[in-house]
Amino acid sequence: MSDDGRMHVPGSEVADAPADPSPHFHRRVTSFRARRSHISDNQQATWDRLWPQLGTEARDGDRPAGLLDTDAWFGRHAPVVLEIGCGTGTSTLAMAQDEPDIDVVAVEVYRRGLAQLLAAIDRTGTTNIRLIRGDGVDVLTHMFPPASLTGVRVFFPDPWPKARHHKRRLLQPEIVALIADRLKPGGLLHAATDHAGYAEHIAEVGDNEPRLRRVGIDTPGLPLSVARPVTKYERKALAGPIVAELLWERT
């Protein structure tokens, strides 16, 4: 364990899939659970006002969305980071504010989390975040072309701890291969988990992807910050699970 309380999976301080993904992506078992998605009246008002400008859907019914024009959406040309599973957006907002020259596209299935992040964007006046409601694999597959992303962040994906549910985990070899395909050379995959078994799984999958090279959190010259803020969830669990930070660079 390091001084900052992070768990170090062996090798975590060190070091082409086809552009058209396999149909497997469309038939996969989804990696999220059903939850209630009620939002407050104030959040609904903010949603109605801002979602048409700052948000979009990954699918229109059964039809996946097409490629995003991020330059038009953000009104500028800048490096783009995709965060899959942003939750309520605590890390999303803090990291975007720390790097105003980076454009962040945050993906979440649950409307309630997106509504909370949208309200925080409105409250703080943050301009470099856009939101997508839907499945992160849909977004990677249909909305970004190869070599278009400077970073992909996956923080605290559902570990699906029971062995019979491991197939539902997001970071499987084919998904990591898809992420590698969408990253620019030098781009980063940054994953974080507090589940030791999932950390080992992610480490093995990432290390076995030939286009990714493991790097440490202190590696000089990284194209974006890897200083992830401690969330409310983590503060509650400080005496419990240790967080593993896992990073790979697209070669």
Side-chain angles (χ1 to χ4, degrees):
M1 187 195 311
S2 69
D3 292 339
D4 59 6
R6 293 187 174 92
M7 171 171 58
H8 299 300
V9 175
S12 65
E13 292 300 312
V14 203
D16 293 322
D20 294 325
S22 157
H24 171 82
F25 293 125
H26 305 289
R27 297 192 302 269
R28 73 186 188 92
V29 179
T30 53
S31 62
F32 49 86
R33 309 171 195 251
R35 296 177 192 163
R36 292 182 181 178
S37 198
H38 173 75
I39 65 175
S40 70
D41 291 343
N42 286 341
Q43 288 171 339
Q44 183 64 57
T46 303
W47 184 282
D48 293 341
R49 180 165 49 87
L50 292 182
W51 183 258
Q53 174 192 354
L54 302 183
T56 192
E57 302 281 340
R59 282 184 173 262
D60 180 5
D62 291 334
R63 185 176 57 189
L67 287 177
L68 278 176
D69 182 346
T70 53
D71 285 7
W73 203 13
F74 285 91
R76 65 176 185 176
H77 180 71
V80 177
V81 171
L82 180 69
E83 183 178 351
I84 299 175
C86 66
T88 60
T90 303
S91 297
T92 313
L93 185 70
M95 296 178 86
Q97 288 176 320
D98 284 347
E99 292 188 296
D101 294 332
I102 300 284
D103 288 338
V104 178
V105 178
V107 182
E108 179 55 61
V109 172
Y110 306 110
R111 186 166 177 255
R112 186 176 182 178
L114 290 170
Q116 289 180 254
L117 176 54
L118 200 59
I121 290 170
D122 188 38
R123 185 172 62 251
T124 59
T126 305
T127 60
N128 60 328
I129 302 174
R130 300 292 183 270
L131 312 176
I132 301 177
R133 186 182 182 193
D135 180 18
V137 178
D138 260 352
V139 174
L140 281 165
T141 303
H142 302 291
M143 302 183 79
F144 288 96
S148 59
L149 294 168
T150 297
V152 173
R153 292 169 174 153
V154 187
F155 297 154
F156 302 102
D158 195 325
W160 293 100
K162 293 181 180 178
R164 69 177 182 271
H165 292 153
H166 284 182
K167 63 186 176 183
R168 295 178 179 271
R169 288 174 168 176
L170 174 65
L171 293 173
Q172 304 288 358
E174 64 272 17
I175 307 303
V176 171
L178 178 60
I179 290 171
D181 182 72
R182 278 14 183 192
L183 286 173
K184 295 180 177 182
L188 288 182
L189 167 58
H190 181 185
T193 180
D194 61 353
H195 187 279
Y198 199 8
E200 292 175 3
H201 169 88
I202 295 169
E204 181 179 358
V205 170
D207 289 344
N208 285 334
E209 168 51 51
R211 291 162 301 171
L212 296 178
R213 178 180 68 91
R214 186 86 75 93
V215 295
I217 57 176
D218 298 322
T219 301
L222 296 178
L224 62 146
S225 172
V226 295
R228 185 183 55 78
V230 176
T231 65
K232 194 183 302 181
Y233 166 81
E234 286 180 82
R235 281 195 296 272
K236 288 181 181 177
L238 281 180
I242 303 160
V243 175
E245 304 277 355
L246 299 150
L247 290 100
W248 290 268
E249 180 183 56
R250 173 66 158 90
T251 56

